[in-house]
Amino acid sequence: MSSDRPPLRSLLFVPGNRTDWLLKAAAAGADAAILDLEDAVPPAGKSAARAQVAEAVATWTGDMALFVRINPLDGWAAAEDLRAVTHSRLHGVVLPKVGEPADVLLADRMLTWCEREHGLTEGRIALVPLLESALALRAAYDIATAAPRAAYLGAVTGKGGDVERAIGYRWSPSGTETLALRSRVLLDIRAAGAPCPVAGLWTTIGDLDGLRAFAEQNRSLGYEGMMAIHPSHIPVINEAFSPGPDDLARYARLIATVEEAQARGAGAITFEGEMVDEAMAARARAALHRAQDR
């Protein structure tokens, strides 16, 4: 099932007790919304928010993919969350406070039971383990390979968040202090074969120029999307992780040139001042295919 996961450029967090904001997320153009039952909901409101999120998922008719961030696995709330929100319209479950692969295995087993209970195909719902501790970041490869449904993983290095506290770096807008960390985690995830790695977060709401630079840096590293906390960030993120018209036109020209050369029995050829071959054409075809699917 994991190979069928669609790429997602933007995943916007929405408080679980404000499901009415899903319409704002969709209007902003988010590829996915993450309904948050963990940090965004106070303890006294967990039960009511769970019922609210379950109803929102079951009645959602939009194109935007829906995820739910459940509560940590160290309490019964996580099991209650999973049973309540599992539905054919649920795209994925975001798993917080992951420490080791065993956490992913437990969540995968629990989610499988819920899928069976609801008559769904096993593995249909993606599982997104959040790498929020030093131990989890170090074990990124093992966590990503713990369950076939694992997807959309990455190093989420927001200002003042769990990762900053765990690692001890000093956050800066340039992201230089986490560049090596984001690169290594991405390599682990790619080696594990987990699809559609995503990064994040940018927490300064009004600094769209800084967000754009950070998103473009993540795209240059090889990430396919980012998590976000504010609707105003979505257009910037979507643009950063989407090829522009000039890129798409160049991909089409490259493919045509390579295929024409192959018909003549040629391999590597010169294209617009650069040496290209079938590997570059394959990448161009994949980019065009993703663009057509959106």
Side-chain angles (χ1 to χ4, degrees):
M1 292 293 296
S2 62
S3 61
D4 297 328
R5 309 293 181 199
L8 299 172
R9 300 165 298 177
S10 52
L11 299 88
L12 178 62
F13 279 99
V14 174
N17 55 3
R18 294 306 308 264
T19 55
D20 55 311
W21 287 2
L22 282 176
L23 295 178
K24 294 182 179 181
D31 288 345
I34 303 173
L35 289 158
D36 190 3
L37 289 174
E38 191 208 11
D39 290 343
V41 179
K46 297 281 188 183
S47 180
R50 180 185 301 121
Q52 193 173 338
V53 167
E55 181 180 4
V57 171
T59 58
W60 180 249
T61 58
D63 294 330
M64 181 176 63
L66 294 188
F67 290 71
V68 174
R69 176 159 74 168
I70 64 172
N71 285 283
L73 290 172
D74 58 0
W76 282 109
E80 294 172 353
D81 291 344
L82 285 174
R83 290 198 70 184
V85 304
T86 297
H87 193 278
S88 60
R89 292 189 176 92
L90 182 65
H91 191 92
V93 169
V94 178
L95 183 64
K97 306 296 187 290
V98 172
E100 57 185 350
D103 295 333
V104 179
L105 288 171
L106 175 59
D108 176 58
R109 187 174 299 115
M110 293 169 64
L111 191 50
T112 298
W113 291 337
C114 292
E115 287 170 334
R116 290 174 181 172
E117 185 177 41
H118 287 78
L120 303 178
T121 303
E122 293 180 20
R124 175 193 180 107
I125 299 171
L127 186 61
V128 187
L130 291 182
L131 310 176
E132 300 175 289
S133 67
L135 182 61
L137 289 161
R138 187 175 186 273
Y141 175 84
D142 293 332
I143 288 172
T145 56
R149 69 169 85 232
Y152 308 108
L153 292 83
V156 181
T157 56
K159 181 180 181 180
D162 291 326
V163 176
E164 182 176 348
R165 291 193 296 273
I167 305 302
Y169 58 78
R170 291 185 177 181
W171 183 91
S172 70
S174 66
T176 54
E177 71 286 343
T178 62
L179 185 61
L181 174 64
R182 285 178 283 139
S183 299
R184 189 194 62 75
V185 170
L186 178 63
L187 178 61
D188 285 344
I189 292 167
R190 290 297 193 189
C196 314
V198 299
L201 291 161
W202 186 260
T203 59
T204 307
I205 294 174
D207 185 6
L208 297 185
D209 289 336
L211 166 65
R212 183 173 292 104
F214 185 60
E216 290 175 352
Q217 185 185 75
N218 282 316
R219 178 64 192 94
S220 294
L221 290 176
Y223 284 98
E224 296 184 21
M226 275 182 56
M227 295 182 178
I229 62 165
H230 196 269
S232 66
H233 290 181
I234 298 304
V236 175
I237 292 173
N238 284 348
E239 181 181 359
F241 288 94
S242 300
D246 292 343
D247 296 320
L248 296 176
R250 184 178 186 277
Y251 291 149
R253 295 196 306 272
L254 188 152
I255 293 168
T257 301
V258 170
E259 290 179 350
E260 188 275 334
Q262 289 173 339
R264 294 186 284 103
I269 57 171
T270 302
F271 169 74
E272 298 183 3
E274 297 181 3
M275 292 299 298
V276 298
D277 57 17
E278 174 55 30
M280 286 75 164
R283 182 180 181 277
R285 291 188 195 98
L288 286 176
H289 180 71
R290 287 195 298 270
Q292 291 166 358
D293 286 344
R294 290 190 173 120

